[in-house]
Coordinates of all heavy atoms in Angstrom, one line a residue:
N1 N 11.4 -39.7 16.0 CA 10.7 -38.4 16.0 C 11.3 -37.5 15.0 O 10.6 -36.9 14.2 CB 10.8 -37.8 17.4 CG 10.0 -36.6 17.5 OD1 9.1 -36.3 16.7 ND2 10.2 -35.8 18.6
S2 N 12.7 -37.5 14.8 CA 13.3 -36.6 13.7 C 13.0 -37.2 12.4 O 13.0 -36.5 11.4 CB 14.7 -36.5 14.0 OG 15.4 -37.8 13.9
A3 N 12.8 -38.5 12.3 CA 12.5 -39.1 10.9 C 11.2 -38.6 10.4 O 10.9 -38.4 9.2 CB 12.5 -40.6 11.1
A4 N 10.2 -38.4 11.3 CA 8.9 -37.9 10.9 C 9.0 -36.5 10.4 O 8.3 -36.0 9.6 CB 7.9 -37.9 12.1
L5 N 9.9 -35.7 11.0 CA 10.0 -34.3 10.6 C 10.8 -34.1 9.2 O 10.5 -33.2 8.5 CB 10.8 -33.5 11.7 CG 10.1 -33.3 13.0 CD1 11.0 -32.6 13.9 CD2 8.8 -32.6 12.8
S6 N 11.7 -35.1 8.9 CA 12.4 -35.0 7.7 C 11.8 -35.7 6.5 O 12.3 -35.7 5.5 CB 13.9 -35.5 7.9 OG 13.7 -36.8 8.3
T7 N 10.6 -36.4 6.7 CA 9.9 -36.9 5.7 C 9.5 -35.9 4.6 O 8.7 -35.0 4.8 CB 8.7 -37.7 6.1 OG1 9.1 -38.6 7.2 CG2 8.1 -38.5 5.0
P8 N 10.0 -36.1 3.3 CA 9.6 -35.2 2.3 C 8.1 -35.4 1.9 O 7.5 -36.4 1.9 CB 10.5 -35.4 1.2 CG 10.9 -36.9 1.3 CD 10.9 -37.1 2.9
H9 N 7.5 -34.2 1.5 CA 6.2 -34.2 1.0 C 5.1 -34.7 2.0 O 4.1 -35.4 1.7 CB 6.1 -35.0 -0.3 CG 7.1 -34.5 -1.3 ND1 7.0 -33.3 -1.9 CD2 8.1 -35.1 -1.8 CE1 8.0 -33.1 -2.7 NE2 8.7 -34.3 -2.7
R10 N 5.4 -34.4 3.3 CA 4.5 -34.9 4.3 C 3.2 -34.1 4.2 O 2.1 -34.6 4.4 CB 5.1 -34.8 5.7 CG 4.2 -35.2 6.7 CD 5.0 -35.7 7.9 NE 4.1 -36.3 9.0 CZ 4.0 -37.5 9.2 NH1 4.7 -38.4 8.6 NH2 3.2 -37.9 10.2
C11 N 3.2 -32.8 3.9 CA 2.0 -32.0 3.8 C 2.1 -31.1 2.6 O 3.3 -30.9 2.1 CB 1.8 -31.2 5.0 SG 3.1 -29.9 5.3
P12 N 1.0 -30.7 1.9 CA 1.1 -30.0 0.7 C 1.7 -28.7 1.0 O 1.6 -28.2 2.1 CB -0.4 -29.9 0.3 CG -1.2 -30.1 1.5 CD -0.3 -31.0 2.5
M13 N 2.2 -28.1 -0.1 CA 2.9 -26.7 -0.1 C 1.8 -25.7 0.2 O 0.8 -25.7 -0.4 CB 3.5 -26.5 -1.3 CG 4.5 -25.2 -1.3 SD 5.4 -25.2 -2.8 CE 6.2 -23.7 -2.6
Y14 N 2.2 -24.7 1.1 CA 1.2 -23.6 1.5 C 1.2 -22.6 0.3 O 2.3 -22.2 -0.2 CB 1.6 -22.9 2.7 CG 0.9 -21.8 3.1 CD1 -0.4 -21.9 3.6 CD2 1.4 -20.5 3.0 CE1 -1.2 -20.9 3.8 CE2 0.7 -19.4 3.2 CZ -0.7 -19.5 3.7 OH -1.4 -18.5 4.0
H15 N 0.1 -22.2 -0.2 CA -0.1 -21.1 -1.1 C -1.0 -20.0 -0.5 O -2.0 -20.2 0.1 CB -0.8 -21.6 -2.3 CG -0.1 -22.6 -3.1 ND1 1.0 -22.3 -3.9 CD2 -0.2 -23.9 -3.2 CE1 1.5 -23.4 -4.3 NE2 0.8 -24.5 -4.0
R16 N -0.4 -18.8 -0.5 CA -1.1 -17.6 0.1 C -2.4 -17.4 -0.6 O -2.4 -17.5 -1.9 CB -0.3 -16.4 0.1 CG 0.8 -16.4 1.0 CD 1.7 -15.0 1.0 NE 0.7 -13.9 1.3 CZ 1.1 -12.7 1.2 NH1 2.3 -12.4 0.9 NH2 0.3 -11.7 1.4
K17 N -3.5 -17.0 0.0 CA -4.7 -16.7 -0.6 C -4.8 -15.2 -0.9 O -5.8 -14.7 -1.5 CB -5.9 -17.1 0.3 CG -5.9 -18.7 0.4 CD -6.9 -19.1 1.4 CE -6.9 -20.5 1.7 NZ -5.8 -21.0 2.3
T18 N -3.9 -14.4 -0.4 CA -3.9 -13.0 -0.6 C -2.5 -12.6 -1.2 O -1.5 -13.4 -1.1 CB -4.1 -12.2 0.6 OG1 -3.0 -12.5 1.6 CG2 -5.5 -12.5 1.2
R19 N -2.5 -11.4 -1.8 CA -1.1 -10.8 -2.2 C -1.1 -9.3 -1.7 O -2.2 -8.8 -1.5 CB -0.9 -10.9 -3.7 CG -2.0 -10.1 -4.6 CD -1.6 -10.3 -6.1 NE -2.5 -9.5 -6.8 CZ -2.5 -8.1 -7.0 NH1 -1.4 -7.5 -6.6 NH2 -3.3 -7.5 -7.7
D20 N 0.1 -8.8 -1.6 CA 0.3 -7.4 -1.1 C 0.4 -6.5 -2.3 O 0.9 -6.9 -3.3 CB 1.6 -7.4 -0.3 CG 1.5 -8.3 0.9 OD1 0.4 -8.6 1.3 OD2 2.7 -8.7 1.3
E21 N -0.2 -5.4 -2.1 CA -0.2 -4.4 -3.1 C -0.2 -3.0 -2.5 O -0.6 -2.8 -1.5 CB -1.2 -4.5 -4.3 CG -2.6 -4.0 -3.8 CD -3.6 -4.1 -4.9 OE1 -3.3 -4.8 -6.0 OE2 -4.7 -3.5 -4.8
W22 N 0.4 -2.0 -3.2 CA 0.5 -0.7 -2.8 C -0.4 0.2 -3.8 O -0.1 0.1 -4.9 CB 1.9 -0.1 -2.7 CG 2.6 -0.6 -1.5 CD1 2.7 0.1 -0.4 CD2 3.1 -1.8 -1.3 NE1 3.5 -0.7 0.5 CE2 3.7 -1.8 -0.1 CE3 3.3 -3.0 -2.1 CZ2 4.4 -3.0 0.5 CZ3 3.9 -4.0 -1.6 CH2 4.4 -4.0 -0.3
Q23 N -1.4 0.8 -3.2 CA -2.4 1.5 -4.1 C -2.2 3.0 -4.0 O -2.0 3.6 -3.0 CB -3.8 1.2 -3.5 CG -4.2 -0.2 -3.6 CD -5.5 -0.5 -2.9 OE1 -6.1 0.4 -2.2 NE2 -6.0 -1.7 -3.1
L24 N -2.3 3.7 -5.1 CA -2.2 5.1 -5.2 C -3.6 5.7 -5.3 O -4.4 5.3 -6.1 CB -1.4 5.5 -6.5 CG -1.3 7.1 -6.7 CD1 -0.5 7.7 -5.6 CD2 -0.7 7.3 -8.0
W25 N -3.9 6.5 -4.4 CA -5.3 7.2 -4.2 C -5.0 8.7 -4.5 O -4.1 9.3 -4.0 CB -5.8 7.0 -2.9 CG -6.2 5.6 -2.6 CD1 -5.3 4.5 -2.4 CD2 -7.5 5.1 -2.5 NE1 -6.2 3.4 -2.2 CE2 -7.5 3.7 -2.2 CE3 -8.8 5.7 -2.7 CZ2 -8.6 2.9 -2.1 CZ3 -9.9 4.9 -2.5 CH2 -9.8 3.5 -2.3
V26 N -5.9 9.3 -5.3 CA -5.9 10.6 -5.7 C -7.2 11.3 -5.2 O -8.3 10.8 -5.4 CB -5.7 10.8 -7.2 CG1 -5.6 12.3 -7.5 CG2 -4.4 10.1 -7.6
D27 N -7.2 12.5 -4.7 CA -8.3 13.3 -4.4 C -8.5 14.4 -5.4 O -7.8 15.4 -5.4 CB -8.2 13.9 -2.9 CG -9.4 14.6 -2.5 OD1 -10.4 14.5 -3.2 OD2 -9.4 15.3 -1.4
Y28 N -9.5 14.3 -6.3 CA -9.8 15.3 -7.4 C -10.8 16.2 -6.9 O -11.2 17.0 -7.8 CB -10.3 14.5 -8.6 CG -9.3 13.7 -9.3 CD1 -9.3 12.3 -9.3 CD2 -8.0 14.3 -9.9 CE1 -8.4 11.5 -9.9 CE2 -7.1 13.5 -10.6 CZ -7.3 12.1 -10.6 OH -6.4 11.3 -11.2
G29 N -11.1 16.3 -5.6 CA -12.1 17.3 -5.1 C -13.3 16.7 -4.7 O -14.2 17.3 -4.2
Q30 N -13.7 15.5 -5.0 CA -15.0 14.8 -4.7 C -14.7 13.5 -3.9 O -15.5 12.6 -3.9 CB -15.7 14.4 -6.0 CG -16.0 15.6 -6.8 CD -15.9 15.4 -8.3 OE1 -15.4 14.4 -8.8 NE2 -16.3 16.4 -9.0
G31 N -13.6 13.5 -3.1 CA -13.3 12.3 -2.3 C -12.1 11.5 -3.0 O -11.8 11.7 -4.1
W32 N -11.7 10.6 -2.2 CA -10.5 9.8 -2.7 C -10.9 8.8 -3.7 O -11.8 8.1 -3.5 CB -9.8 9.2 -1.5 CG -9.1 10.1 -0.6 CD1 -9.6 10.7 0.6 CD2 -7.8 10.7 -0.8 NE1 -8.7 11.6 1.1 CE2 -7.6 11.7 0.3 CE3 -6.8 10.6 -1.7 CZ2 -6.4 12.4 0.4 CZ3 -5.7 11.3 -1.6 CH2 -5.5 12.2 -0.6
E33 N -10.1 8.7 -4.7 CA -10.4 7.6 -5.7 C -9.1 6.8 -5.9 O -8.0 7.2 -6.0 CB -10.7 8.3 -7.1 CG -11.9 9.1 -7.1 CD -12.2 9.7 -8.5 OE1 -11.8 9.1 -9.5 OE2 -12.8 10.8 -8.6
H34 N -9.3 5.4 -6.0 CA -8.2 4.5 -6.2 C -7.8 4.7 -7.6 O -8.5 4.4 -8.6 CB -8.6 3.1 -5.9 CG -7.6 2.1 -6.3 ND1 -7.9 0.9 -7.0 CD2 -6.3 2.0 -5.9 CE1 -6.8 0.3 -7.0 NE2 -5.8 0.9 -6.4
E35 N -6.6 5.0 -7.9 CA -6.1 5.3 -9.3 C -5.4 4.2 -9.9 O -5.6 3.8 -11.0 CB -5.3 6.6 -9.2 CG -4.9 7.2 -10.6 CD -6.3 7.8 -11.2 OE1 -7.1 8.3 -10.5 OE2 -6.4 7.8 -12.5
T36 N -4.4 3.6 -9.1 CA -3.6 2.6 -9.7 C -3.1 1.7 -8.5 O -3.0 2.1 -7.4 CB -2.5 3.1 -10.6 OG1 -1.8 2.0 -11.2 CG2 -1.5 3.9 -9.8
S37 N -2.6 0.5 -8.9 CA -2.0 -0.4 -7.9 C -0.5 -0.9 -8.5 O -0.4 -1.0 -9.6 CB -2.8 -1.6 -7.7 OG -4.0 -1.3 -7.2
E38 N 0.4 -1.0 -7.5 CA 1.7 -1.5 -7.8 C 2.1 -2.6 -6.9 O 1.6 -2.7 -5.8 CB 2.8 -0.3 -7.7 CG 2.5 0.8 -8.6 CD 2.7 0.6 -10.1 OE1 3.4 -0.4 -10.3 OE2 2.2 1.4 -10.8
D39 N 3.0 -3.5 -7.4 CA 3.4 -4.6 -6.6 C 4.4 -4.3 -5.4 O 4.6 -4.9 -4.5 CB 4.0 -5.7 -7.5 CG 2.9 -6.3 -8.3 OD1 1.8 -6.4 -7.9 OD2 3.2 -6.8 -9.4
T40 N 5.2 -3.2 -5.7 CA 6.2 -2.8 -4.7 C 6.0 -1.3 -4.3 O 5.4 -0.5 -5.0 CB 7.6 -2.9 -5.4 OG1 7.7 -1.9 -6.4 CG2 7.9 -4.2 -5.8
R41 N 6.5 -1.1 -3.1 CA 6.3 0.3 -2.6 C 7.1 1.3 -3.4 O 6.7 2.5 -3.7 CB 6.7 0.3 -1.1 CG 6.5 1.7 -0.4 CD 6.9 1.5 1.1 NE 6.6 2.7 1.8 CZ 7.6 3.6 2.0 NH1 8.9 3.3 1.7 NH2 7.3 4.7 2.6
R42 N 8.3 0.9 -3.8 CA 9.2 1.7 -4.6 C 8.4 2.2 -5.9 O 8.4 3.3 -6.3 CB 10.4 1.1 -4.9 CG 11.5 1.9 -5.7 CD 12.7 1.1 -5.9 NE 13.3 0.7 -4.7 CZ 14.3 1.2 -4.1 NH1 15.0 2.2 -4.6 NH2 14.8 0.7 -2.9
A43 N 7.8 1.3 -6.6 CA 7.0 1.5 -7.8 C 5.8 2.5 -7.5 O 5.6 3.4 -8.3 CB 6.6 0.3 -8.4
A44 N 5.2 2.3 -6.4 CA 4.1 3.2 -6.1 C 4.6 4.6 -5.7 O 3.9 5.5 -6.2 CB 3.4 2.7 -4.8
I45 N 5.7 4.7 -5.2 CA 6.3 6.0 -4.9 C 6.6 6.7 -6.2 O 6.5 7.9 -6.4 CB 7.4 5.9 -3.9 CG1 7.0 5.6 -2.5 CG2 8.3 7.2 -3.9 CD1 8.1 5.2 -1.6
E46 N 7.2 5.9 -7.2 CA 7.6 6.5 -8.4 C 6.3 7.0 -9.1 O 6.3 8.1 -9.8 CB 8.3 5.5 -9.4 CG 9.7 5.2 -8.8 CD 10.6 6.4 -9.0 OE1 10.4 7.2 -9.9 OE2 11.3 6.6 -8.0
Q47 N 5.2 6.2 -9.0 CA 4.0 6.7 -9.7 C 3.5 7.9 -9.0 O 2.8 8.8 -9.6 CB 2.9 5.6 -9.6 CG 3.0 4.4 -10.6 CD 2.7 5.0 -12.0 OE1 2.1 5.9 -12.2 NE2 3.1 4.1 -12.9
Q48 N 3.5 8.0 -7.7 CA 3.1 9.1 -6.9 C 3.8 10.4 -7.5 O 3.3 11.5 -7.5 CB 3.2 8.9 -5.5 CG 2.6 10.0 -4.6 CD 2.8 9.8 -3.1 OE1 3.8 9.1 -2.7 NE2 1.8 10.2 -2.4
K49 N 5.2 10.3 -7.7 CA 6.0 11.4 -8.1 C 5.5 11.9 -9.5 O 5.4 13.1 -9.7 CB 7.5 11.0 -8.2 CG 8.1 10.8 -6.8 CD 9.6 10.5 -7.0 CE 10.3 10.1 -5.7 NZ 11.6 9.6 -5.8
C50 N 5.2 10.9 -10.3 CA 4.6 11.4 -11.7 C 3.3 12.0 -11.5 O 3.1 13.1 -12.2 CB 4.5 10.0 -12.4 SG 5.9 9.3 -13.1
Y51 N 2.5 11.6 -10.6 CA 1.1 12.3 -10.5 C 1.4 13.7 -9.9 O 0.7 14.6 -10.3 CB 0.2 11.5 -9.6 CG -0.6 10.5 -10.4 CD1 -0.1 9.2 -10.7 CD2 -1.9 10.8 -10.8 CE1 -0.9 8.3 -11.4 CE2 -2.6 9.8 -11.5 CZ -2.2 8.6 -11.8 OH -2.9 7.7 -12.6
R52 N 2.3 13.7 -9.0 CA 2.5 15.1 -8.3 C 3.2 16.1 -9.3 O 3.0 17.2 -9.3 CB 3.4 14.9 -7.1 CG 2.7 14.4 -5.9 CD 3.5 14.3 -4.7 NE 2.7 13.8 -3.6 CZ 3.3 13.4 -2.4 NH1 4.6 13.4 -2.3 NH2 2.5 13.0 -1.4
D53 N 4.1 15.5 -10.2 CA 4.7 16.4 -11.2 C 3.6 16.9 -12.2 O 3.7 18.0 -12.7 CB 5.7 15.7 -12.0 CG 7.0 15.4 -11.1 OD1 7.1 16.1 -10.1 OD2 7.8 14.5 -11.4
N54 N 2.7 16.1 -12.6 CA 1.7 16.3 -13.7 C 0.5 17.1 -13.2 O -0.1 17.9 -13.9 CB 1.4 15.1 -14.4 CG 2.5 14.5 -15.2 OD1 3.3 15.2 -15.8 ND2 2.6 13.2 -15.3
C55 N 0.1 16.8 -11.9 CA -1.1 17.4 -11.4 C -0.9 17.7 -9.9 O -1.3 17.2 -9.0 CB -2.3 16.4 -11.5 SG -2.6 15.8 -13.1
P56 N 0.0 18.8 -9.7 CA 0.3 19.1 -8.4 C -0.9 19.7 -7.5 O -0.7 19.7 -6.2 CB 1.4 20.2 -8.6 CG 1.1 20.8 -9.9 CD 0.6 19.7 -10.7
E57 N -2.0 20.0 -8.2 CA -3.1 20.6 -7.5 C -3.9 19.5 -6.7 O -4.8 19.9 -5.9 CB -4.0 21.5 -8.4 CG -4.7 20.7 -9.5 CD -3.9 20.5 -10.8 OE1 -2.8 20.8 -10.8 OE2 -4.5 20.1 -11.7
Y58 N -3.7 18.3 -7.0 CA -4.5 17.2 -6.4 C -3.7 16.5 -5.4 O -2.5 16.2 -5.6 CB -4.9 16.2 -7.5 CG -5.8 16.9 -8.5 CD1 -5.5 16.7 -9.9 CD2 -7.1 17.5 -8.2 CE1 -6.4 17.4 -10.9 CE2 -7.8 18.1 -9.1 CZ -7.4 18.0 -10.5 OH -8.3 18.6 -11.4
R59 N -4.3 16.1 -4.2 CA -3.6 15.4 -3.2 C -3.5 13.9 -3.6 O -4.4 13.4 -4.2 CB -4.4 15.6 -1.9 CG -4.5 17.0 -1.4 CD -5.1 17.1 -0.1 NE -6.4 16.4 0.0 CZ -7.1 16.1 1.0 NH1 -6.5 16.3 2.2 NH2 -8.3 15.6 1.0
T60 N -2.4 13.3 -3.2 CA -2.2 11.9 -3.4 C -1.8 11.2 -2.2 O -1.3 11.9 -1.2 CB -1.1 11.6 -4.5 OG1 0.1 12.2 -4.0 CG2 -1.5 12.2 -5.8
K61 N -2.0 9.9 -2.0 CA -1.6 9.1 -1.0 C -1.3 7.7 -1.3 O -2.0 7.2 -2.4 CB -2.5 9.2 0.2 CG -3.8 8.6 0.1 CD -4.7 8.7 1.3 CE -6.1 8.2 1.1 NZ -7.0 8.3 2.3
I62 N -0.6 7.0 -0.7 CA -0.3 5.6 -1.0 C -0.8 4.7 0.2 O -0.6 5.1 1.3 CB 1.2 5.3 -1.1 CG1 1.7 6.0 -2.4 CG2 1.5 3.8 -1.3 CD1 3.2 5.9 -2.6
K63 N -1.6 3.7 -0.1 CA -2.1 2.8 0.9 C -1.7 1.4 0.7 O -1.7 0.9 -0.5 CB -3.7 2.8 0.9 CG -4.3 4.0 1.4 CD -5.8 4.1 1.3 CE -6.4 3.0 2.0 NZ -8.0 3.0 2.0
Y64 N -1.2 0.7 1.7 CA -0.9 -0.7 1.7 C -2.2 -1.6 1.7 O -3.1 -1.2 2.5 CB 0.0 -1.1 2.7 CG 0.3 -2.6 2.9 CD1 1.2 -3.2 2.1 CD2 -0.4 -3.3 3.9 CE1 1.4 -4.6 2.3 CE2 -0.2 -4.6 4.1 CZ 0.7 -5.3 3.3 OH 0.9 -6.7 3.4
A65 N -2.3 -2.6 0.9 CA -3.5 -3.4 0.9 C -3.2 -4.9 0.7 O -2.2 -5.1 -0.1 CB -4.6 -2.8 -0.1
R66 N -4.0 -5.8 1.1 CA -3.9 -7.1 0.9 C -5.1 -7.4 0.0 O -6.3 -7.2 0.5 CB -3.8 -8.1 2.1 CG -2.5 -8.0 2.8 CD -2.4 -9.2 3.7 NE -1.1 -9.2 4.2 CZ -0.6 -9.8 5.3 NH1 -1.5 -10.4 6.0 NH2 0.7 -9.8 5.5
V67 N -5.0 -7.9 -1.1 CA -6.1 -8.3 -1.9 C -6.1 -9.8 -2.2 O -5.1 -10.5 -2.1 CB -6.1 -7.5 -3.3 CG1 -6.3 -6.2 -3.0 CG2 -4.7 -7.7 -4.0
R68 N -7.3 -10.4 -2.6 CA -7.4 -11.8 -2.9 C -6.6 -12.1 -4.1 O -6.6 -11.5 -5.1 CB -8.9 -12.2 -3.1 CG -9.1 -13.6 -3.2 CD -10.5 -14.0 -3.2 NE -11.3 -13.7 -2.0 CZ -11.2 -14.5 -0.9 NH1 -10.6 -15.6 -1.0 NH2 -11.9 -14.0 0.1
A69 N -5.8 -13.1 -4.0 CA -4.9 -13.6 -5.1 C -5.7 -14.4 -6.2 O -6.7 -14.9 -5.9 CB -3.8 -14.5 -4.5
E70 N -5.2 -14.3 -7.3 CA -5.8 -15.0 -8.4 C -5.6 -16.5 -8.2 O -4.5 -16.9 -7.9 CB -5.3 -14.6 -9.9 CG -5.7 -13.1 -10.2 CD -4.7 -12.1 -9.6 OE1 -3.6 -12.5 -9.4 OE2 -5.1 -11.0 -9.4
V71 N -6.5 -17.3 -8.5 CA -6.3 -18.8 -8.4 C -5.7 -19.2 -9.6 O -6.1 -19.0 -10.8 CB -7.8 -19.5 -8.2 CG1 -7.6 -20.9 -8.1 CG2 -8.5 -18.8 -7.1
T72 N -4.6 -19.9 -9.4 CA -3.9 -20.7 -10.5 C -3.9 -22.2 -10.3 O -3.6 -22.7 -9.2 CB -2.4 -20.2 -10.6 OG1 -1.8 -20.5 -9.3 CG2 -2.3 -18.7 -10.8
T73 N -4.3 -22.9 -11.3 CA -4.5 -24.3 -11.2 C -3.6 -25.0 -12.3 O -3.3 -24.4 -13.2 CB -5.9 -24.8 -11.3 OG1 -6.5 -24.3 -12.6 CG2 -6.8 -24.3 -10.2

């Protein structure tokens, strides 16, 4: 039984079909618009700080999203 579990390459390696991203959304007065996407939450927060420094009159928010990953062959 343990020999079956330790057999290398018994099943193909799993590849995620989605990837995680953090999106920066800005409300310019006509509803929320997706402005940019970042791979890490920290990078998204840094972008949000830049937007708040340059355009403090507009509201911003960060949303977590899973998006379809690019197919690599």
